[in-house]
Each structure stands twice: as C-alpha cells, then as structure tokens.
Coordinates of all heavy atoms in Angstrom, one line a residue:
M23 N 87.4 83.8 114.5 CA 86.7 83.6 113.2 C 86.7 84.9 112.4 O 85.7 85.4 112.0 CB 85.2 83.2 113.5 CG 84.5 82.7 112.3 SD 85.4 81.3 111.4 CE 84.9 81.7 109.7
N24 N 87.8 85.5 112.3 CA 88.0 86.6 111.4 C 89.4 86.7 111.0 O 90.2 87.6 111.2 CB 87.6 87.9 112.2 CG 87.3 89.0 111.3 OD1 87.5 88.9 110.1 ND2 86.8 90.1 111.8
H25 N 89.7 85.6 110.2 CA 91.1 85.5 109.8 C 91.5 86.6 108.8 O 90.7 87.0 108.0 CB 91.3 84.1 109.1 CG 91.2 83.0 110.0 ND1 90.0 82.3 110.3 CD2 92.2 82.3 110.7 CE1 90.3 81.3 111.2 NE2 91.5 81.3 111.4
V26 N 92.7 87.0 109.0 CA 93.3 88.0 108.1 C 93.7 87.3 106.8 O 94.4 86.3 106.8 CB 94.5 88.7 108.7 CG1 95.0 89.8 107.8 CG2 94.1 89.2 110.0
T27 N 93.2 87.8 105.7 CA 93.6 87.2 104.4 C 94.0 88.4 103.5 O 93.6 89.5 103.7 CB 92.4 86.5 103.7 OG1 91.4 87.4 103.4 CG2 91.9 85.4 104.5
R28 N 94.8 88.1 102.6 CA 95.3 89.1 101.6 C 94.1 89.8 101.0 O 94.0 91.0 100.9 CB 96.2 88.5 100.6 CG 96.8 89.5 99.6 CD 97.8 88.9 98.7 NE 97.1 88.0 97.7 CZ 96.7 88.5 96.5 NH1 96.9 89.7 96.1 NH2 96.1 87.7 95.6
R29 N 93.2 89.0 100.5 CA 92.0 89.5 99.8 C 91.1 90.3 100.8 O 90.6 91.3 100.4 CB 91.2 88.4 99.2 CG 90.2 88.9 98.2 CD 89.6 87.8 97.4 NE 90.6 86.9 96.8 CZ 90.2 86.0 95.9 NH1 89.0 85.7 95.6 NH2 91.2 85.2 95.4
G30 N 91.1 89.8 102.0 CA 90.3 90.6 103.0 C 90.8 92.0 103.3 O 90.1 92.9 103.4
V31 N 92.2 92.0 103.4 CA 92.8 93.3 103.6 C 92.6 94.2 102.4 O 92.2 95.4 102.6 CB 94.3 93.2 103.9 CG1 95.0 94.5 104.0 CG2 94.5 92.4 105.2
L32 N 92.7 93.7 101.2 CA 92.5 94.5 100.0 C 91.1 95.0 99.9 O 90.9 96.2 99.6 CB 92.9 93.7 98.8 CG 94.4 93.4 98.6 CD1 94.6 92.4 97.5 CD2 95.1 94.7 98.2
R33 N 90.2 94.1 100.3 CA 88.8 94.5 100.2 C 88.5 95.6 101.2 O 87.8 96.6 101.0 CB 87.9 93.3 100.4 CG 86.4 93.6 100.3 CD 85.6 92.4 100.5 NE 85.8 91.4 99.5 CZ 85.2 90.2 99.4 NH1 84.3 89.9 100.3 NH2 85.5 89.4 98.4
R34 N 89.0 95.4 102.4 CA 88.7 96.4 103.5 C 89.2 97.8 103.0 O 88.6 98.8 103.3 CB 89.5 95.9 104.8 CG 89.3 96.9 105.9 CD 90.4 96.7 107.0 NE 91.7 97.0 106.5 CZ 92.8 96.9 107.1 NH1 92.8 96.4 108.3 NH2 94.0 97.2 106.6
D35 N 90.4 97.8 102.4 CA 91.0 99.0 102.0 C 90.6 99.5 100.6 O 91.1 100.5 100.1 CB 92.5 98.9 102.1 CG 93.0 98.8 103.6 OD1 92.2 98.9 104.5 OD2 94.2 98.5 103.7
G36 N 89.6 98.8 100.1 CA 89.1 99.2 98.8 C 90.1 99.1 97.6 O 90.1 99.9 96.7
F37 N 91.1 98.2 97.8 CA 92.1 98.0 96.8 C 92.8 99.3 96.5 O 93.2 99.6 95.4 CB 91.5 97.4 95.5 CG 91.0 96.0 95.6 CD1 89.8 95.7 96.1 CD2 91.9 94.9 95.3 CE1 89.3 94.4 96.3 CE2 91.4 93.6 95.5 CZ 90.1 93.3 96.0
T38 N 93.0 100.1 97.6 CA 93.7 101.4 97.5 C 94.9 101.3 98.3 O 94.8 101.0 99.5 CB 92.7 102.5 97.9 OG1 91.6 102.5 97.1 CG2 93.4 103.8 97.8
C39 N 96.0 101.8 97.8 CA 97.3 101.8 98.5 C 97.1 102.7 99.8 O 96.7 103.9 99.7 CB 98.4 102.2 97.6 SG 100.0 102.3 98.5
A40 N 97.5 102.2 100.9 CA 97.4 103.0 102.2 C 98.5 104.0 102.2 O 98.4 104.9 103.1 CB 97.5 102.0 103.4
Y41 N 99.4 104.0 101.3 CA 100.5 105.0 101.4 C 100.4 106.1 100.3 O 100.6 107.2 100.6 CB 101.9 104.3 101.2 CG 102.1 103.2 102.2 CD1 102.3 101.8 101.8 CD2 102.1 103.4 103.6 CE1 102.5 100.8 102.7 CE2 102.3 102.4 104.5 CZ 102.5 101.1 104.1 OH 102.7 100.1 105.0
C42 N 100.0 105.7 99.1 CA 99.9 106.7 98.0 C 98.6 106.9 97.4 O 98.3 107.8 96.7 CB 101.0 106.3 97.0 SG 100.5 104.9 95.9
G43 N 97.6 106.0 97.7 CA 96.3 106.1 97.2 C 96.0 105.5 95.8 O 94.9 105.6 95.3
K44 N 97.1 104.9 95.3 CA 96.9 104.3 94.0 C 96.3 102.9 94.1 O 96.1 102.4 95.2 CB 98.2 104.2 93.2 CG 98.8 105.6 92.8 CD 100.1 105.5 92.1 CE 100.6 106.8 91.7 NZ 102.0 106.8 91.1
S45 N 96.0 102.3 93.0 CA 95.4 101.0 93.0 C 96.4 100.0 93.6 O 97.6 100.0 93.3 CB 95.1 100.6 91.6 OG 94.5 99.3 91.6
A46 N 95.9 99.2 94.5 CA 96.8 98.3 95.3 C 96.4 96.8 95.0 O 95.2 96.5 94.8 CB 96.7 98.5 96.8
N47 N 97.4 96.0 94.8 CA 97.1 94.6 94.7 C 98.1 93.7 95.6 O 98.1 92.5 95.4 CB 97.1 94.1 93.3 CG 98.3 94.5 92.5 OD1 99.4 94.7 93.1 ND2 98.2 94.6 91.2
T48 N 98.8 94.4 96.5 CA 99.6 93.6 97.5 C 99.2 94.2 98.8 O 98.5 95.2 99.0 CB 101.1 93.8 97.2 OG1 101.4 95.2 97.6 CG2 101.5 93.6 95.8
I49 N 99.6 93.5 99.9 CA 99.4 94.0 101.2 C 100.8 94.1 101.9 O 101.8 93.5 101.5 CB 98.5 93.1 102.1 CG1 99.1 91.7 102.2 CG2 97.1 93.0 101.4 CD1 98.4 90.8 103.2
D50 N 100.8 95.0 102.8 CA 102.1 95.4 103.5 C 101.9 95.4 105.0 O 100.9 95.8 105.5 CB 102.6 96.7 103.0 CG 104.0 97.1 103.5 OD1 104.9 96.3 103.2 OD2 104.1 98.0 104.3
H51 N 103.0 95.0 105.7 CA 103.0 95.1 107.1 C 103.4 96.5 107.5 O 104.5 96.9 107.2 CB 104.0 94.1 107.7 CG 103.6 92.7 107.6 ND1 103.7 91.9 106.5 CD2 103.0 91.8 108.5 CE1 103.2 90.7 106.7 NE2 102.8 90.6 107.9
V52 N 102.6 97.2 108.3 CA 102.9 98.5 108.7 C 104.2 98.5 109.6 O 105.1 99.2 109.4 CB 101.7 99.2 109.5 CG1 102.1 100.5 110.0 CG2 100.5 99.2 108.6
I53 N 104.1 97.6 110.6 CA 105.3 97.3 111.3 C 105.9 96.0 110.7 O 105.2 95.0 110.7 CB 105.0 97.1 112.8 CG1 104.4 98.4 113.4 CG2 106.3 96.7 113.6 CD1 103.9 98.2 114.8
P54 N 107.1 96.1 110.1 CA 107.6 94.9 109.4 C 107.7 93.7 110.4 O 108.0 93.8 111.6 CB 109.0 95.4 109.0 CG 108.9 96.9 109.0 CD 108.0 97.2 110.1
R55 N 107.6 92.6 109.8 CA 107.7 91.3 110.5 C 109.1 91.2 111.2 O 109.2 90.8 112.3 CB 107.5 90.1 109.6 CG 106.0 89.8 109.4 CD 105.8 89.0 108.2 NE 106.5 87.7 108.2 CZ 106.0 86.5 108.7 NH1 104.8 86.5 109.2 NH2 106.7 85.5 108.7
S56 N 110.1 91.8 110.5 CA 111.4 91.7 111.1 C 111.6 92.6 112.3 O 112.5 92.5 113.0 CB 112.4 92.2 110.0 OG 112.2 93.5 109.6
R57 N 110.6 93.5 112.5 CA 110.6 94.3 113.7 C 109.5 94.0 114.7 O 109.1 94.8 115.5 CB 110.5 95.8 113.3 CG 111.7 96.2 112.5 CD 111.4 97.6 111.8 NE 112.5 97.9 110.9 CZ 113.6 98.6 111.1 NH1 113.8 99.0 112.3 NH2 114.4 98.8 110.2
G58 N 109.0 92.8 114.5 CA 108.0 92.3 115.5 C 106.6 92.5 115.0 O 105.6 92.2 115.8
G59 N 106.3 93.0 113.8 CA 105.0 93.2 113.4 C 104.2 91.9 113.2 O 104.8 90.9 112.9
R60 N 102.9 91.9 113.5 CA 102.1 90.7 113.5 C 101.2 90.7 112.2 O 101.0 91.7 111.6 CB 101.3 90.6 114.7 CG 102.0 90.7 116.0 CD 102.7 89.4 116.4 NE 101.7 88.3 116.6 CZ 101.1 88.1 117.7 NH1 101.2 88.9 118.7 NH2 100.2 87.2 117.8
N61 N 100.7 89.5 111.9 CA 99.7 89.4 110.8 C 98.3 89.7 111.4 O 97.5 88.8 111.5 CB 99.8 87.9 110.3 CG 101.1 87.6 109.6 OD1 101.8 88.5 109.1 ND2 101.5 86.4 109.7
T62 N 98.1 90.9 111.6 CA 96.8 91.3 112.2 C 96.2 92.3 111.3 O 96.9 93.0 110.5 CB 96.9 91.9 113.6 OG1 97.7 93.1 113.5 CG2 97.6 91.0 114.5
W63 N 94.8 92.5 111.4 CA 94.1 93.5 110.6 C 94.7 94.9 110.9 O 94.8 95.7 110.0 CB 92.7 93.5 111.0 CG 91.9 92.3 110.5 CD1 91.4 91.3 111.3 CD2 91.5 92.1 109.2 NE1 90.7 90.5 110.5 CE2 90.7 90.9 109.2 CE3 91.7 92.7 108.0 CZ2 90.2 90.3 108.1 CZ3 91.2 92.2 106.8 CH2 90.4 91.0 106.9
E64 N 95.2 95.1 112.1 CA 95.6 96.4 112.5 C 97.1 96.7 111.9 O 97.5 97.8 111.9 CB 95.7 96.6 114.0 CG 94.3 96.6 114.6 CD 93.7 95.2 114.8 OE1 94.4 94.2 114.5 OE2 92.5 95.1 115.2
N65 N 97.7 95.6 111.5 CA 99.1 95.8 111.1 C 99.3 95.6 109.6 O 100.4 95.6 109.1 CB 100.1 94.9 111.9 CG 101.5 95.3 111.6 OD1 101.9 96.5 111.7 ND2 102.4 94.4 111.4
L66 N 98.2 95.3 108.9 CA 98.3 95.0 107.5 C 97.4 96.0 106.7 O 96.3 96.3 107.1 CB 97.8 93.5 107.2 CG 98.8 92.4 107.6 CD1 98.1 91.1 107.7 CD2 99.9 92.4 106.7
V67 N 98.0 96.5 105.6 CA 97.3 97.5 104.8 C 97.5 97.1 103.3 O 98.4 96.4 103.0 CB 97.7 98.9 105.0 CG1 97.4 99.4 106.4 CG2 99.2 99.0 104.8
A68 N 96.5 97.5 102.5 CA 96.7 97.4 101.1 C 97.8 98.3 100.6 O 97.9 99.4 101.1 CB 95.4 97.7 100.4
A69 N 98.6 97.8 99.7 CA 99.7 98.7 99.2 C 100.0 98.3 97.7 O 99.8 97.2 97.3 CB 101.0 98.4 100.0
C70 N 100.3 99.3 97.0 CA 100.7 99.1 95.6 C 102.1 98.5 95.6 O 102.8 98.6 96.6 CB 100.6 100.3 94.8 SG 101.9 101.5 95.1
L71 N 102.4 97.9 94.5 CA 103.7 97.2 94.5 C 104.9 98.1 94.6 O 105.9 97.8 95.3 CB 103.8 96.4 93.1 CG 104.9 95.4 93.0 CD1 104.7 94.3 94.1 CD2 104.9 94.7 91.6
A72 N 104.8 99.3 94.1 CA 105.9 100.3 94.2 C 106.1 100.7 95.7 O 107.3 100.7 96.1 CB 105.5 101.6 93.4
C73 N 105.0 101.0 96.4 CA 105.2 101.3 97.8 C 105.7 100.1 98.6 O 106.6 100.3 99.5 CB 103.9 101.8 98.4 SG 103.4 103.5 97.8
N74 N 105.2 99.0 98.3 CA 105.6 97.8 99.0 C 107.1 97.6 98.9 O 107.8 97.3 99.8 CB 104.8 96.6 98.5 CG 104.7 95.4 99.5 OD1 105.6 95.3 100.3 ND2 103.6 94.7 99.5
S75 N 107.5 97.7 97.6 CA 109.0 97.5 97.4 C 109.8 98.6 98.1 O 110.9 98.3 98.6 CB 109.2 97.6 95.9 OG 108.5 96.6 95.2
R76 N 109.4 99.8 98.0 CA 110.1 100.9 98.6 C 110.2 100.8 100.1 O 111.2 101.1 100.8 CB 109.5 102.3 98.2 CG 109.9 102.7 96.8 CD 109.3 104.0 96.5 NE 109.8 105.1 97.4 CZ 109.2 106.3 97.6 NH1 108.1 106.6 96.9 NH2 109.8 107.2 98.4
K77 N 109.1 100.4 100.7 CA 109.0 100.3 102.1 C 109.8 99.2 102.7 O 110.6 99.3 103.7 CB 107.5 100.1 102.6 CG 107.4 100.2 104.1 CD 106.0 100.3 104.5 CE 105.8 100.2 106.0 NZ 106.2 98.9 106.5
A78 N 109.8 98.0 102.0 CA 110.5 96.9 102.5 C 110.4 96.7 104.0 O 109.2 96.5 104.4 CB 112.0 97.0 102.1
D79 N 111.5 96.6 104.7 CA 111.3 96.4 106.1 C 111.6 97.6 107.0 O 112.0 97.5 108.1 CB 112.3 95.2 106.6 CG 113.8 95.6 106.4 OD1 114.0 96.6 105.7 OD2 114.6 95.0 107.0
K80 N 111.3 98.8 106.4 CA 111.5 100.0 107.1 C 110.2 100.4 107.9 O 109.1 100.0 107.6 CB 111.8 101.1 106.1 CG 113.1 100.9 105.3 CD 113.4 102.1 104.4 CE 114.6 101.8 103.5 NZ 114.3 100.8 102.5
M81 N 110.4 101.2 108.9 CA 109.3 101.8 109.6 C 108.8 103.1 108.8 O 109.6 103.7 108.1 CB 109.7 102.2 111.0 CG 110.2 101.0 111.8 SD 109.0 99.8 112.3 CE 108.2 100.7 113.7
L82 N 107.6 103.4 109.0 CA 107.0 104.6 108.3 C 107.8 105.8 108.7 O 108.1 106.7 107.8 CB 105.6 104.8 108.7 CG 104.6 103.7 108.2 CD1 103.2 104.1 108.6 CD2 104.7 103.5 106.7
A83 N 108.2 105.9 109.9 CA 108.9 107.2 110.4 C 110.2 107.3 109.6 O 110.7 108.4 109.3 CB 109.2 107.1 111.9
Q84 N 110.9 106.2 109.3 CA 112.1 106.3 108.6 C 112.0 106.8 107.2 O 112.8 107.5 106.6 CB 112.8 104.9 108.5 CG 113.3 104.3 109.8 CD 113.8 102.9 109.5 OE1 113.1 101.9 109.5 NE2 115.1 102.8 109.4
L85 N 110.8 106.6 106.6 CA 110.5 107.0 105.3 C 109.8 108.3 105.2 O 109.7 109.0 104.2 CB 109.6 105.9 104.6 CG 110.3 104.6 104.3 CD1 109.2 103.5 104.2 CD2 111.2 104.6 103.1
G86 N 109.3 108.8 106.3 CA 108.5 110.0 106.4 C 107.1 109.8 105.8 O 106.5 110.7 105.3
W87 N 106.7 108.5 105.8 CA 105.4 108.2 105.2 C 104.3 108.2 106.3 O 104.6 108.0 107.5 CB 105.4 106.8 104.6 CG 106.2 106.7 103.4 CD1 107.0 107.6 102.8 CD2 106.2 105.5 102.5 NE1 107.5 107.1 101.6 CE2 107.1 105.9 101.5 CE3 105.6 104.3 102.6 CZ2 107.4 104.9 100.4 CZ3 105.9 103.3 101.6 CH2 106.8 103.7 100.5
Q88 N 103.1 108.5 105.9 CA 102.0 108.4 106.8 C 100.9 107.5 106.2 O 100.7 107.5 105.0 CB 101.4 109.7 107.1 CG 102.2 110.6 108.0 CD 101.5 111.8 108.5 OE1 100.7 112.4 107.7 NE2 101.8 112.3 109.7
L89 N 100.2 106.8 107.0 CA 99.1 106.0 106.5 C 97.9 106.9 106.2 O 97.6 107.9 106.9 CB 98.6 105.0 107.6 CG 99.5 103.8 107.8 CD1 99.0 103.0 109.0 CD2 99.5 102.9 106.6
R90 N 97.3 106.7 105.1 CA 96.1 107.4 104.7 C 94.8 107.0 105.4 O 93.9 107.7 105.5 CB 95.8 107.3 103.2 CG 97.0 107.8 102.3 CD 96.9 107.3 100.9 NE 95.7 107.7 100.3 CZ 95.5 108.8 99.5 NH1 96.6 109.6 99.4 NH2 94.4 109.2 99.0
V91 N 94.9 105.8 105.9 CA 93.8 105.2 106.7 C 94.4 104.6 107.9 O 95.5 104.2 108.0 CB 93.1 104.1 105.8 CG1 92.4 104.8 104.6 CG2 94.0 103.0 105.4
T92 N 93.5 104.4 108.9 CA 93.9 103.7 110.1 C 93.4 102.2 110.0 O 92.2 102.0 109.8 CB 93.3 104.3 111.4 OG1 93.8 105.6 111.5 CG2 93.8 103.5 112.6
P93 N 94.4 101.3 109.9 CA 93.9 99.9 109.7 C 93.1 99.4 110.9 O 93.4 99.7 112.0 CB 95.2 99.1 109.6 CG 96.3 100.1 109.7 CD 95.8 101.4 110.1
H94 N 92.0 98.7 110.6 CA 91.2 98.2 111.6 C 90.6 96.9 111.2 O 90.6 96.5 110.0 CB 90.0 99.2 111.9 CG 89.2 99.5 110.7 ND1 88.2 98.7 110.2 CD2 89.3 100.5 109.7 CE1 87.7 99.1 109.1 NE2 88.3 100.2 108.8
R95 N 90.1 96.2 112.2 CA 89.4 94.9 111.9 C 88.1 95.3 111.2 O 87.4 96.2 111.6 CB 89.1 94.2 113.2 CG 88.4 92.9 113.1 CD 88.3 92.3 114.5 NE 89.6 91.9 115.0 CZ 90.1 90.7 114.9 NH1 89.5 89.8 114.3 NH2 91.3 90.5 115.4
P96 N 87.8 94.6 110.1 CA 86.6 95.0 109.3 C 85.3 94.7 110.1 O 85.2 93.8 110.9 CB 86.7 94.1 108.0 CG 87.6 93.0 108.4 CD 88.5 93.5 109.4
R97 N 84.3 95.5 109.8 CA 83.1 95.4 110.6 C 82.2 94.3 110.1 O 81.2 94.0 110.8 CB 82.3 96.8 110.4 CG 83.0 98.0 111.0 CD 82.2 99.2 110.7 NE 82.9 100.4 111.1 CZ 82.9 100.8 112.4 NH1 82.3 100.2 113.3 NH2 83.6 101.9 112.7
Y98 N 82.4 93.8 108.9 CA 81.4 92.9 108.4 C 81.6 91.5 108.9 O 80.9 90.6 108.4 CB 81.5 92.9 106.8 CG 82.9 92.7 106.2 CD1 83.6 91.6 106.3 CD2 83.4 93.8 105.5 CE1 84.8 91.5 105.7 CE2 84.6 93.7 104.9 CZ 85.4 92.5 105.0 OH 86.6 92.4 104.4
G99 N 82.4 91.3 109.9 CA 82.4 90.0 110.5 C 83.1 88.9 109.6 O 83.7 89.3 108.6
G100 N 82.9 87.7 110.0 CA 83.6 86.7 109.3 C 83.0 86.1 108.0 O 83.6 85.5 107.2
H101 N 81.7 86.3 107.9 CA 81.0 85.5 106.9 C 81.4 85.9 105.4 O 81.5 85.0 104.6 CB 79.5 85.6 107.0 CG 78.9 87.0 106.7 ND1 79.0 88.0 107.6 CD2 78.3 87.5 105.7 CE1 78.5 89.1 107.1 NE2 78.0 88.8 105.9
L102 N 81.8 87.1 105.2 CA 82.1 87.5 103.9 C 83.5 87.0 103.5 O 83.9 86.9 102.3 CB 82.1 89.1 103.7 CG 80.7 89.6 103.5 CD1 80.8 91.1 103.4 CD2 80.0 89.0 102.3
V103 N 84.3 86.8 104.5 CA 85.7 86.4 104.2 C 85.9 84.9 104.6 O 86.9 84.4 104.3 CB 86.8 87.2 105.0 CG1 86.7 88.6 104.5 CG2 86.6 87.1 106.5
S104 N 84.8 84.3 105.1 CA 85.0 82.9 105.5 C 85.4 82.0 104.4 O 86.1 81.0 104.5 CB 83.7 82.4 106.2 OG 82.7 82.4 105.3
G105 N 84.9 82.3 103.2 CA 85.3 81.5 102.0 C 86.7 81.7 101.6 O 87.2 81.0 100.7
L106 N 87.4 82.7 102.2 CA 88.7 83.0 101.7 C 89.7 82.6 102.7 O 90.9 83.0 102.7 CB 88.8 84.6 101.5 CG 87.8 85.2 100.6 CD1 87.9 86.7 100.6 CD2 88.1 84.7 99.2
N107 N 89.3 81.8 103.7 CA 90.2 81.4 104.7 C 91.3 80.4 104.3 O 92.3 80.2 104.9 CB 89.5 80.8 105.9 CG 88.8 81.8 106.8 OD1 89.1 83.0 106.7 ND2 87.8 81.4 107.6
H108 N 91.0 79.8 103.1 CA 92.1 79.0 102.6 C 93.3 79.9 102.2 O 93.1 81.1 101.9 CB 91.6 78.2 101.4 CG 91.3 79.1 100.2 ND1 90.1 79.8 100.1 CD2 92.0 79.4 99.1 CE1 90.1 80.5 99.0 NE2 91.2 80.3 98.4
I109 N 94.4 79.3 102.2 CA 95.6 80.1 101.9 C 95.8 80.0 100.4 O 96.0 78.9 99.8 CB 96.9 79.5 102.6 CG1 96.6 79.4 104.1 CG2 98.1 80.3 102.3 CD1 96.3 80.8 104.8
D110 N 95.8 81.1 99.7 CA 96.0 81.1 98.3 C 97.5 81.1 98.1 O 98.3 81.3 98.9 CB 95.3 82.2 97.5 CG 95.9 83.6 97.9 OD1 97.1 83.8 97.8 OD2 95.1 84.5 98.1
D111 N 97.9 80.8 96.9 CA 99.3 80.5 96.6 C 100.2 81.7 96.8 O 101.4 81.6 97.2 CB 99.5 80.1 95.1 CG 98.9 78.8 94.8 OD1 98.7 78.0 95.8 OD2 98.5 78.5 93.7
S112 N 99.7 82.9 96.7 CA 100.5 84.1 96.8 C 100.6 84.6 98.3 O 101.4 85.5 98.6 CB 99.9 85.2 95.9 OG 98.6 85.4 96.3
W113 N 99.8 84.0 99.1 CA 99.7 84.6 100.5 C 101.1 84.5 101.2 O 101.5 85.5 101.7 CB 98.6 83.7 101.2 CG 98.4 84.1 102.7 CD1 98.3 83.3 103.7 CD2 98.1 85.4 103.2 NE1 98.0 84.0 104.8 CE2 97.9 85.3 104.6 CE3 98.0 86.7 102.6 CZ2 97.6 86.3 105.4 CZ3 97.8 87.8 103.5 CH2 97.5 87.6 104.8
D114 N 101.7 83.4 101.2 CA 103.0 83.3 101.9 C 104.0 84.3 101.3 O 104.8 84.9 102.1 CB 103.6 81.9 101.7 CG 102.9 80.9 102.7 OD1 102.2 81.4 103.7 OD2 103.1 79.7 102.6
V115 N 104.0 84.5 100.1 CA 104.9 85.4 99.4 C 104.7 86.8 100.0 O 105.7 87.5 100.4 CB 104.7 85.4 97.9 CG1 105.6 86.5 97.3 CG2 105.0 84.1 97.3
Y116 N 103.4 87.2 100.1 CA 103.2 88.6 100.6 C 103.5 88.7 102.1 O 104.0 89.7 102.5 CB 101.8 89.0 100.3 CG 101.5 89.2 98.9 CD1 100.8 88.4 98.1 CD2 102.1 90.3 98.2 CE1 100.6 88.6 96.8 CE2 102.0 90.5 96.9 CZ 101.2 89.7 96.1 OH 101.0 89.9 94.8
L117 N 103.2 87.6 102.8 CA 103.6 87.7 104.3 C 105.1 87.8 104.4 O 105.5 88.6 105.2 CB 103.1 86.4 104.9 CG 101.6 86.4 105.2 CD1 101.2 85.1 105.9 CD2 101.1 87.6 105.9
Q118 N 105.8 87.1 103.6 CA 107.3 87.2 103.8 C 107.8 88.5 103.3 O 108.7 89.0 103.9 CB 107.9 86.0 103.0 CG 107.6 84.6 103.4 CD 107.9 84.4 104.9 OE1 108.9 84.9 105.4 NE2 107.0 83.7 105.6
A119 N 107.1 89.1 102.3 CA 107.6 90.3 101.7 C 107.4 91.5 102.7 O 108.2 92.5 102.6 CB 106.9 90.6 100.4
G120 N 106.3 91.4 103.5 CA 106.0 92.6 104.3 C 107.1 92.9 105.3 O 107.1 93.9 105.9
Ligands
ZN29 ZN1 101.4 103.1 96.8

C-alpha cells in the first residue's frame, strides 16, 4: 500500500532534479530499466527533462553524475498518495523513458 507514482516521486523529492537541482517534472530510473532497474522508490528520482534526456539508459558512473539525494520510500505512508494510485496518462511514458 505504498505504490510508486510519478507524482509521489516528484513530491518526495520536492519537484527538484536529483541530478542538477533544478525544477523537475519528470522522473528517472537511477538504474535504467534496461539494466535491471525496478520501479521502486529507491530507484526512482525526480529529474528535469534535460537530465532525463542526457542520462537516457546510462549508469551514473558512466556520466560521472552523483545523486544529490538518496532515494527512499517516503515516510508519510500511503494515505497521501493513495488518491494517486490510478495511472495517469503520462506514467507509462516516463516508465519507458527511464
Ligand atoms: Zn536536472
């Protein structure tokens, strides 16, 4: 009962890009799905579109990037995100893009 949603990740990270600190409105897989990354709170971070595009399916080490924050499961439990458990139209796009 703590589903990962795009909005949930963005809210957790304060709509701040985990890579450059700018305003974020996308999410990114730290470990790309093509490399076995999962759709988990620990593997998803808020990212601006520029970073998301540059990172693509690369690992952070390849880019010399570091996370500004350590992704974690949010403390506020499920109730604040429970209304967001529906899949919004853009969700699949971002999952595929990560
Ligand atoms: Zn960024």
Side-chain angles (χ1 to χ4, degrees):
M23 192 55 213
N24 201 350
H25 290 90
V26 185
T27 62
R28 183 175 72 91
R29 193 172 306 187
V31 172
L32 288 169
R33 180 178 300 182
R34 181 199 64 183
D35 293 351
F37 292 84
T38 300
C39 178
Y41 303 121
C42 73
K44 293 181 180 174
S45 178
N47 53 24
T48 70
I49 63 173
D50 186 62
H51 290 79
V52 178
I53 300 171
R55 277 160 57 92
S56 62
R57 296 170 190 268
R60 305 281 299 278
N61 296 328
T62 63
W63 288 109
E64 293 81 5
N65 193 46
L66 286 164
V67 294
C70 71
L71 196 56
C73 288
N74 204 330
S75 298
R76 284 181 61 196
K77 183 167 174 298
D79 66 344
K80 300 182 185 69
M81 300 291 281
L82 292 183
Q84 290 179 277
L85 293 158
W87 290 7
Q88 287 189 329
L89 288 172
R90 297 164 61 92
V91 296
T92 301
H94 58 84
R95 184 175 291 267
R97 296 177 186 277
Y98 48 69
H101 64 283
L102 282 179
V103 296
S104 62
L106 304 171
N107 283 343
H108 67 279
I109 305 299
D110 67 49
D111 291 337
S112 54
W113 179 228
D114 279 347
V115 173
Y116 288 110
L117 286 182
Q118 297 304 323

